[in-house]
Amino acid sequence: MQLSSGRKKQCTVSSSTGHTLIADHHPATPNTLPPRSMFVPVAVAVVVGVLGWAYQAIKPRPPKICGSPDGPPVTSPRVKLTDGRHLAYRETGVSKEEAKYKIIVVHGFNSSKDLSLPVSQELMEELGIYFLFFDRAGYGDSDPNPKRSVKSEAFDIQELADKLHIGSKFFVIGVSIGAYPIWGCLKYIPNRLAGASLVVPFVNYWWPCFPSQLATEGLKTVPVQDQWVFRIAYHAPWLFYWWMTQKWFPSLSMMSGNMSIFSQPDLEMLKKLSEIPSVGQEKIRQQGDHESLHRDIMAGYSKWEFDPLDIDNPFPDNEGSVHMWQGGQDKVIPYKLNQYISEKLPWIKYHEVPEGGHFLIFDNKICEDIIRGLLLG
């Protein structure tokens, strides 16, 4: 009995010792999670980092202003505006002192004052035409305008005319997106106009004058990637720089080389124009895409202060005329929208070229018709 008791005691001791040894080799797991108070600053740091990245992504790069130490040189004659900016210009035709007609030409998207219209020297001398071309804000040698708008473009035209002393009245021609400054002129400085011509004019799909179905159908005729560009310019302009520079989604078709946006007449005209030496192409966006191209789209597709249908006839006594030229084969600008505007504004003389595309102004005969129609009525 004693032996049995001894064995039991030994076994008990062994079990006790074994338990003790196990405890020594596998200590209780300590709490390794960081204190709860550390989560807040870490979360704040992550949020700040994401916001900092987002801010840098949507913030445009500083422009390379012409004439500044790190900018391109000024290579064109310029006038200084009252707000300190400069506008570069080019004159052609007969001298303004001898001219009977003075025309200011407003270039379109990704273009400049070096826009070359097929107007013969003979026609300019026959009619006595003086042409004034200029780089719109941010294009070519003209200073950027961070407050660029439909109104600012109109007043730039007026001040340019005054600085160059071309007279109290002048004609204006706007091409493509260069037509929104013409709408601005018709609204803000109609007393300065002798006549106006909107050639394949830009349309803002969010103008209140458009029936919603017509605007929606018009927007759907352009590539989906362009639809998103225009939507963001209108609804979220603060995001526009990021959208135009990101690489995840296709941006504006004209800038991405998508030729499907052009009709057959336009493709043929592009081929023809490519065979003609171009002047000043390298300077168009030299101050940065944002100050030239992006701001152009943002101004055109912004929320305007007026609707085109609110504009009164600037020539109630027929002392001048307003013309609109539209190509029936234009895939860039839906012609039905401009048709609608011209029907609602009967004082606009609407000219539709059935076989014309977006580049119809570069056709010699059509260009001459545009000039003669504007000047001679």
Side-chain angles (χ1 to χ4, degrees), residues 280-316:
Q281 290 294 308
E282 73 285 353
K283 298 195 302 180
I284 291 175
R285 296 180 288 168
Q286 64 182 351
Q287 298 181 87
D289 285 358
H290 186 69
E291 298 303 331
S292 52
L293 309 182
H294 301 177
R295 288 200 189 279
D296 206 5
I297 297 175
M298 291 166 66
Y301 287 99
S302 64
K303 296 178 175 65
W304 288 26
E305 294 180 348
F306 65 93
D307 186 292
L309 296 193
D310 296 335
I311 299 175
D312 295 324
N313 182 359
F315 309 112

Coordinates of all heavy atoms in Angstrom, one line a residue, residues 280-316:
G280 N 3.7 78.2 -88.0 CA 3.4 78.4 -86.6 C 2.8 77.3 -85.8 O 2.3 77.5 -84.7
Q281 N 2.7 76.1 -86.4 CA 2.1 75.0 -85.7 C 2.8 74.6 -84.4 O 2.1 74.3 -83.4 CB 2.1 73.7 -86.6 CG 1.2 73.8 -87.8 CD -0.3 73.9 -87.4 OE1 -0.7 73.0 -86.7 NE2 -1.0 74.9 -87.9
E282 N 4.1 74.8 -84.3 CA 4.8 74.5 -83.1 C 4.6 75.4 -82.0 O 4.9 75.1 -80.8 CB 6.3 74.4 -83.4 CG 7.0 75.8 -83.6 CD 6.7 76.4 -85.0 OE1 6.0 75.8 -85.8 OE2 7.1 77.6 -85.2
K283 N 4.0 76.6 -82.2 CA 3.7 77.6 -81.2 C 2.3 77.5 -80.6 O 2.1 78.2 -79.6 CB 4.0 79.0 -81.8 CG 5.4 79.2 -82.2 CD 5.7 80.7 -82.4 CE 4.8 81.3 -83.4 NZ 5.0 82.8 -83.6
I284 N 1.4 76.8 -81.2 CA 0.0 76.8 -80.8 C -0.1 76.5 -79.3 O -0.8 77.3 -78.6 CB -0.8 75.8 -81.6 CG1 -0.9 76.3 -83.1 CG2 -2.2 75.7 -81.0 CD1 -1.6 75.4 -84.0
R285 N 0.5 75.4 -78.8 CA 0.3 75.0 -77.4 C 1.6 75.2 -76.6 O 1.8 74.5 -75.6 CB -0.1 73.6 -77.4 CG -1.5 73.3 -78.1 CD -1.9 71.9 -78.0 NE -1.1 71.0 -78.9 CZ -1.1 69.7 -78.9 NH1 -1.8 69.1 -78.0 NH2 -0.4 69.0 -79.8
Q286 N 2.5 76.1 -77.0 CA 3.8 76.2 -76.4 C 3.7 76.7 -74.9 O 4.6 76.5 -74.1 CB 4.6 77.2 -77.2 CG 4.1 78.6 -77.2 CD 5.0 79.5 -78.0 OE1 6.1 79.1 -78.5 NE2 4.6 80.7 -78.3
Q287 N 2.6 77.2 -74.5 CA 2.4 77.6 -73.1 C 1.7 76.6 -72.2 O 1.4 76.8 -71.1 CB 1.7 79.0 -73.0 CG 2.5 80.1 -73.7 CD 1.7 81.4 -73.6 OE1 1.9 82.2 -72.7 NE2 0.9 81.7 -74.6
G288 N 1.4 75.5 -72.8 CA 0.8 74.4 -72.1 C -0.6 74.1 -72.6 O -1.3 75.0 -73.0
D289 N -0.9 72.8 -72.7 CA -2.2 72.4 -73.2 C -3.4 72.9 -72.3 O -4.4 73.2 -72.8 CB -2.3 70.8 -73.2 CG -1.5 70.2 -74.3 OD1 -1.0 70.9 -75.1 OD2 -1.5 68.9 -74.4
H290 N -3.1 73.0 -71.0 CA -4.2 73.5 -70.2 C -4.6 74.9 -70.4 O -5.8 75.3 -70.5 CB -3.8 73.4 -68.7 CG -5.0 73.7 -67.7 ND1 -6.1 72.9 -67.6 CD2 -5.2 74.7 -66.9 CE1 -6.9 73.4 -66.7 NE2 -6.4 74.5 -66.3
E291 N -3.6 75.8 -70.7 CA -3.9 77.2 -70.9 C -4.5 77.5 -72.3 O -5.2 78.5 -72.5 CB -2.7 78.0 -70.7 CG -2.1 78.0 -69.3 CD -3.1 78.4 -68.2 OE1 -4.0 79.2 -68.5 OE2 -3.0 77.9 -67.1
S292 N -4.3 76.6 -73.2 CA -4.8 76.8 -74.5 C -6.0 75.9 -74.8 O -7.1 76.4 -74.8 CB -3.7 76.5 -75.6 OG -3.1 75.2 -75.3
L293 N -5.8 74.6 -74.9 CA -6.9 73.7 -75.2 C -7.9 73.5 -74.1 O -9.2 73.6 -74.4 CB -6.3 72.3 -75.6 CG -5.2 72.3 -76.7 CD1 -4.8 70.9 -77.0 CD2 -5.7 73.0 -78.0
H294 N -7.5 73.2 -72.9 CA -8.4 72.9 -71.8 C -9.3 74.0 -71.5 O -10.5 73.9 -71.3 CB -7.6 72.4 -70.6 CG -6.8 71.2 -70.8 ND1 -5.9 70.7 -69.9 CD2 -6.6 70.4 -71.9 CE1 -5.3 69.6 -70.3 NE2 -5.7 69.4 -71.6
R295 N -8.7 75.2 -71.3 CA -9.5 76.4 -70.9 C -10.4 76.7 -72.0 O -11.5 77.3 -71.8 CB -8.6 77.5 -70.6 CG -7.9 77.4 -69.2 CD -7.4 78.7 -68.7 NE -6.5 78.5 -67.5 CZ -7.0 78.3 -66.3 NH1 -8.3 78.2 -66.0 NH2 -6.1 78.2 -65.3
D296 N -10.1 76.5 -73.3 CA -11.0 76.7 -74.4 C -12.3 75.9 -74.3 O -13.4 76.5 -74.4 CB -10.3 76.4 -75.7 CG -10.8 77.2 -76.9 OD1 -11.7 78.1 -76.7 OD2 -10.3 77.0 -78.0
I297 N -12.1 74.6 -74.0 CA -13.3 73.8 -73.9 C -14.1 74.1 -72.6 O -15.3 74.2 -72.6 CB -12.8 72.3 -73.8 CG1 -12.2 71.9 -75.1 CG2 -14.0 71.4 -73.5 CD1 -11.6 70.5 -75.1
M298 N -13.3 74.4 -71.5 CA -14.0 74.8 -70.3 C -14.8 76.0 -70.4 O -16.0 76.1 -69.9 CB -13.0 74.9 -69.2 CG -12.3 73.6 -68.7 SD -10.8 73.9 -67.7 CE -11.6 74.6 -66.2
A299 N -14.3 77.0 -71.1 CA -15.1 78.3 -71.3 C -16.3 78.0 -72.2 O -17.4 78.5 -71.9 CB -14.2 79.3 -72.0
G300 N -16.1 77.3 -73.3 CA -17.2 77.0 -74.2 C -18.3 76.2 -73.5 O -19.5 76.4 -73.7
Y301 N -18.0 75.2 -72.7 CA -18.9 74.3 -72.1 C -19.2 74.6 -70.7 O -19.8 73.8 -69.9 CB -18.5 72.8 -72.2 CG -18.6 72.3 -73.6 CD1 -17.5 72.3 -74.5 CD2 -19.8 71.9 -74.1 CE1 -17.6 71.8 -75.8 CE2 -19.9 71.4 -75.4 CZ -18.8 71.4 -76.2 OH -18.9 70.9 -77.5
S302 N -19.0 75.9 -70.3 CA -19.3 76.3 -68.9 C -20.8 76.7 -68.9 O -21.5 76.6 -69.9 CB -18.5 77.6 -68.6 OG -18.8 78.6 -69.5
K303 N -21.3 77.1 -67.7 CA -22.6 77.6 -67.6 C -22.6 79.0 -68.0 O -22.1 79.9 -67.3 CB -23.1 77.4 -66.1 CG -23.2 75.9 -65.7 CD -23.6 75.8 -64.3 CE -23.8 74.3 -63.9 NZ -22.6 73.5 -63.9
W304 N -23.2 79.3 -69.1 CA -23.2 80.7 -69.7 C -24.1 81.6 -68.9 O -25.1 81.2 -68.2 CB -23.6 80.6 -71.1 CG -22.6 80.1 -72.1 CD1 -21.7 79.1 -71.8 CD2 -22.5 80.3 -73.5 NE1 -21.0 78.8 -72.9 CE2 -21.5 79.5 -74.0 CE3 -23.2 81.1 -74.4 CZ2 -21.1 79.6 -75.3 CZ3 -22.8 81.2 -75.7 CH2 -21.8 80.4 -76.2
E305 N -23.8 82.9 -69.0 CA -24.7 83.9 -68.4 C -25.9 84.2 -69.2 O -26.8 84.9 -68.8 CB -23.9 85.2 -68.2 CG -22.7 85.2 -67.3 CD -22.0 86.5 -67.2 OE1 -22.2 87.4 -68.0 OE2 -21.2 86.6 -66.2
F306 N -26.0 83.7 -70.4 CA -27.1 83.9 -71.3 C -27.3 82.7 -72.2 O -26.5 81.8 -72.3 CB -26.8 85.2 -72.2 CG -25.7 85.0 -73.1 CD1 -25.9 84.6 -74.5 CD2 -24.4 85.3 -72.8 CE1 -24.9 84.4 -75.4 CE2 -23.3 85.1 -73.7 CZ -23.6 84.7 -75.0
D307 N -28.5 82.7 -72.8 CA -28.9 81.7 -73.8 C -28.8 82.4 -75.1 O -29.3 83.5 -75.3 CB -30.3 81.2 -73.4 CG -30.7 80.0 -74.3 OD1 -30.9 80.2 -75.5 OD2 -30.8 78.9 -73.8
P308 N -28.3 81.7 -76.2 CA -28.3 82.3 -77.5 C -29.7 82.9 -77.9 O -29.7 83.9 -78.6 CB -27.9 81.2 -78.4 CG -27.0 80.4 -77.6 CD -27.7 80.4 -76.2
L309 N -30.7 82.2 -77.5 CA -32.1 82.7 -77.9 C -32.5 84.0 -77.2 O -33.5 84.6 -77.6 CB -33.1 81.6 -77.7 CG -33.0 80.3 -78.6 CD1 -34.2 79.5 -78.5 CD2 -32.6 80.6 -80.0
D310 N -31.7 84.4 -76.2 CA -32.0 85.6 -75.5 C -31.4 86.8 -76.2 O -31.7 88.0 -75.9 CB -31.4 85.6 -74.1 CG -32.1 84.5 -73.2 OD1 -33.2 84.1 -73.5 OD2 -31.4 84.0 -72.3
I311 N -30.6 86.6 -77.2 CA -29.9 87.7 -77.9 C -30.9 88.4 -78.9 O -31.6 87.7 -79.7 CB -28.7 87.2 -78.7 CG1 -27.7 86.5 -77.7 CG2 -28.0 88.3 -79.5 CD1 -26.5 85.9 -78.4
D312 N -30.9 89.7 -78.8 CA -31.7 90.5 -79.8 C -31.0 90.7 -81.1 O -29.7 90.6 -81.2 CB -32.0 91.8 -79.2 CG -32.9 91.7 -77.9 OD1 -33.7 90.8 -77.9 OD2 -32.6 92.5 -76.9
N313 N -31.7 90.9 -82.1 CA -31.2 91.2 -83.4 C -30.3 92.4 -83.3 O -30.7 93.5 -83.0 CB -32.3 91.5 -84.4 CG -31.8 91.7 -85.8 OD1 -30.6 91.7 -86.1 ND2 -32.7 91.9 -86.8
P314 N -29.0 92.3 -83.6 CA -28.1 93.4 -83.5 C -28.2 94.4 -84.6 O -27.7 95.5 -84.6 CB -26.7 92.8 -83.5 CG -26.8 91.5 -84.3 CD -28.2 91.1 -84.0
F315 N -29.0 94.0 -85.7 CA -29.1 94.9 -86.8 C -30.6 95.0 -87.2 O -31.1 94.6 -88.2 CB -28.4 94.4 -88.0 CG -26.9 94.1 -87.7 CD1 -26.5 92.7 -87.7 CD2 -26.0 95.1 -87.4 CE1 -25.1 92.5 -87.4 CE2 -24.7 94.8 -87.1 CZ -24.2 93.5 -87.1
P316 N -31.4 95.7 -86.3 CA -32.8 95.8 -86.5 C -33.2 96.6 -87.8 O -34.3 96.4 -88.3 CB -33.3 96.5 -85.3 CG -32.2 97.2 -84.7 CD -31.0 96.4 -85.1

